[in-house]
Amino acid sequence: MSEKERMLAGELYIAQDQELAADNRQSRKLTRLFNTTTEEQQEYRKELIAQLFGQVGKNYYIEPPFRCDYGCNISIGDNFYANYDCIILDVNKVHIGNNVFFAPRVNIFTAGHPISAGVRNTLLEFGKPVTIGNDVWIGGNTVINPGITIGDNVVIGSGSVVTRDIPSGVVAAGNPCKVIRNITEEDEIYWEDQRIKYEEAKRKET
């Protein structure tokens, strides 16, 4: 079993490995190219992300700067947006669904290290996958820790540290991140009404 296979299986592994080092060099090259693009190079940015990530959907946009370990372990669905300073440590799989939006400085960490200092000092580490469902908004400066699953239709408040799974259909926030309340039909009605008012105002302007 290779170190890469151990890493993706969630077992202890050593990152100082030729195969992983090559993957990491490729990631660093692509992120360097991406982070030095200009606003006039939107299509080139998309091409670089498509090369970097394991899978991309339709209509994705990532604002530089962006950082990741390997990139090839990240998959994103349709209509993905990440604002400035997104960091994804993808030593294990990161699956992001459709219609997911990140505010600035969202961090996803799949990497973990042994609590035992003696074992940790041997440079053994491990990773646990992170899964984010569909229709999710994650506020700025949020940290999502290894092994976390966030359900569908979720809002995570800014500054949250997500240490446990978050179910679907809720607003959650805090350190540690906890469910504050369910997203209700009243929420849907209120925001649909706001959308209609916006569209009516725009029609009057024209």
Side-chain angles (χ1 to χ4, degrees):
M1 197 174 193
S2 69
E3 295 301 315
K4 183 174 182 177
E5 289 170 334
R6 291 179 183 278
M7 179 183 80
L8 294 173
E11 299 181 7
L12 288 173
Y13 75 99
I14 295 287
Q16 286 69 29
D17 168 78
Q18 288 186 353
E19 182 181 17
L20 291 175
D23 288 348
N24 182 252
R25 282 194 300 272
Q26 175 70 358
S27 171
R28 286 174 182 266
K29 174 185 174 181
L30 291 171
T31 53
R32 172 176 54 79
L33 292 171
F34 176 81
N35 289 329
T36 55
T37 58
T38 68
E39 58 275 13
E40 289 85 12
Q41 296 175 292
Q42 299 298 335
E43 288 304 313
Y44 182 46
R45 285 180 177 178
K46 292 189 71 174
E47 291 172 12
L48 290 170
I49 292 299
Q51 292 179 54
L52 178 63
F53 286 4
Q55 182 176 339
V56 296
K58 300 175 183 177
N59 304 319
Y60 54 91
Y61 182 87
I62 297 174
E63 189 74 54
F66 171 78
R67 293 281 189 271
C68 63
D69 277 335
Y70 299 104
C72 56
N73 299 320
I74 302 169
S75 65
I76 57 174
D78 297 341
N79 306 317
F80 174 72
Y81 173 80
N83 212 321
Y84 309 104
D85 293 325
C86 179
I87 297 175
I88 302 179
L89 301 187
D90 60 316
V91 305
N92 208 309
K93 296 292 186 181
V94 175
H95 178 77
I96 299 170
N98 299 324
N99 306 308
V100 175
F101 307 117
F102 290 176
R105 296 179 178 170
V106 168
N107 298 288
I108 299 176
F109 303 147
T110 67
H113 300 271
I115 291 176
S116 165
V119 176
R120 188 169 63 246
N121 292 342
T122 67
L123 302 183
L124 284 166
E125 55 186 281
F126 63 93
K128 295 182 179 180
V130 168
T131 300
I132 298 173
N134 300 319
D135 304 310
V136 175
W137 166 253
I138 297 179
N141 290 300
T142 290
V143 174
I144 300 171
N145 280 283
I148 294 299
T149 295
I150 295 173
D152 299 331
N153 190 27
V154 171
V155 174
I156 304 291
S158 60
S160 295
V161 179
V162 187
T163 60
R164 295 183 179 179
D165 291 351
I166 303 297
S168 296
V170 298
V171 176
N175 181 7
C177 188
K178 297 179 181 179
V179 173
I180 295 173
R181 66 177 181 86
N182 292 328
I183 294 174
T184 66
E185 185 177 355
E186 286 76 13
D187 291 313
E188 302 296 337
I189 293 170
Y190 173 81
W191 287 107
E192 179 64 16
D193 182 59
Q194 297 303 305
R195 184 190 66 80
I196 292 169
K197 288 180 180 178
Y198 166 80
E199 291 182 352
E200 289 176 346
K202 293 297 289 185
R203 281 197 295 271
K204 290 178 181 177
E205 290 173 5
T206 57

